[in-house]
Amino acid sequence: PALLNIPGVTLLPLTLRPVDTENIRVGVLLFWAIGYTFSAFHVLSIALDIPVPVGEARYVGVQSDPLWLGFHVFTGCALLVGSNLDCLVLGWRHGPGGVSRMVEADPRQGLAWVHFKVRCIFQLLGAALLLFPALRVLGPDPAFAQNVNAAPMLVLGACAFASPLYAGPAARGAVLSWLGRLGTTAAEREAAVVSTLCGLGRQSDGSLLRKAGLSFRVISFDRLRSDDFVPGGGGGDADKRAEKAALGDCDAFVSHAWLDNAAAKWQGRGP
């Protein structure tokens, strides 16, 4: 179950958008709590002297094994610092409540701190889980290589350490880009963008392409007139000259602002 929990928890920040101010604030607190929970586990492991695996199939109390004791002390302290680094830095810069004020003023930076928290917590945890079995096998306990707990520790450590590779903003952008390309051609996507700029941007992602297809219009090049490029020109019949077209059937998109030189734009339209 732990192997499934790490990818699940590290993927949570991918559900956040830079405009989700309240959710970003919750995310900062959530990963602060996760870091504290991990740290508390290591502290309790030492305090309760829980049994830890040594050799091929033996268990001893954590306090009686220096390497296990050092592992819990280092990991607990590292996670505590990693989960509080944003509070320490922003509190030093902005005083008490610096994190909340920063998220309110700049949610995008707040989201970046959430991803940074994930990187700190899980890469520190992963590094400790990867290094510990190696140090133990190469040091005082070569038989630990045959212990049933050695391989799961390495796999769990690898998952945690690699989490920024699949749970960072770049990964989120790649996934969204891939989803946006499903079932569409390049021409259809370009036409959908143009339609979105004409007022469909407020529609949900699920209905955007359908709305774009229903409302997409084109004007044949030979039906353009010079006064189409002049404010108030075109005789008000541009809509009548426009024809419904399928996404991808438009050959070109001509950008024009009323501040542009209309005569130069008309002369430069080509033959």
Side-chain angles (χ1 to χ4, degrees), residues 51-260:
V52 289
V54 296
E56 187 172 342
R58 294 187 301 112
Y59 286 85
V60 298
V62 65
Q63 296 179 15
S64 62
D65 188 281
L67 201 54
W68 268 111
L69 182 61
F71 167 78
H72 282 289
V73 170
F74 166 79
T75 308
C77 293
L79 292 173
L80 191 63
V81 173
S83 61
N84 283 279
L85 194 57
D86 57 343
C87 298
L88 295 172
V89 173
L90 296 171
W92 174 69
R93 288 181 181 175
H94 308 293
V99 175
S100 294
R101 287 200 298 274
M102 179 271 296
V103 172
E104 189 69 34
D106 189 353
R108 188 176 296 275
Q109 187 179 358
L111 183 56
W113 274 105
V114 172
H115 287 289
F116 180 73
K117 252 185 200 298
V118 172
R119 185 175 296 110
C120 283
I121 293 172
F122 288 96
Q123 284 202 306
L124 285 169
L125 179 63
L129 290 170
L130 286 172
L131 288 173
F132 177 80
L135 292 175
R136 190 160 197 96
V137 171
L138 295 175
D141 192 5
F144 188 73
Q146 307 302 320
N147 195 292
V148 294
N149 295 283
M153 286 185 72
L154 290 172
V155 175
L156 191 62
C159 288
F161 191 78
S163 61
L165 299 178
Y166 60 80
R172 182 178 192 271
V175 171
L176 291 177
S177 176
W178 174 72
L179 290 174
R181 291 194 300 269
L182 289 180
T184 62
T185 64
E188 288 173 335
R189 292 193 295 273
E190 292 169 1
V193 170
V194 174
S195 293
T196 303
L197 294 175
C198 296
L200 294 177
R202 293 180 296 276
Q203 300 294 326
S204 65
D205 292 342
S207 62
L208 177 59
L209 194 60
R210 185 175 65 256
K211 292 282 188 180
L214 292 175
S215 62
F216 192 67
R217 299 289 186 275
V218 299
I219 295 181
S220 178
F221 196 77
D222 59 5
R223 302 188 69 183
L224 285 174
R225 299 203 301 254
S226 60
D227 57 348
D228 286 329
F229 298 89
V230 178
D237 65 345
D239 288 342
K240 296 179 182 177
R241 284 180 283 139
E243 304 171 2
K244 181 172 173 49
L247 295 179
D249 285 350
C250 180
D251 297 310
F253 169 68
V254 179
S255 174
H256 180 66
W258 295 131
L259 296 178
D260 293 347

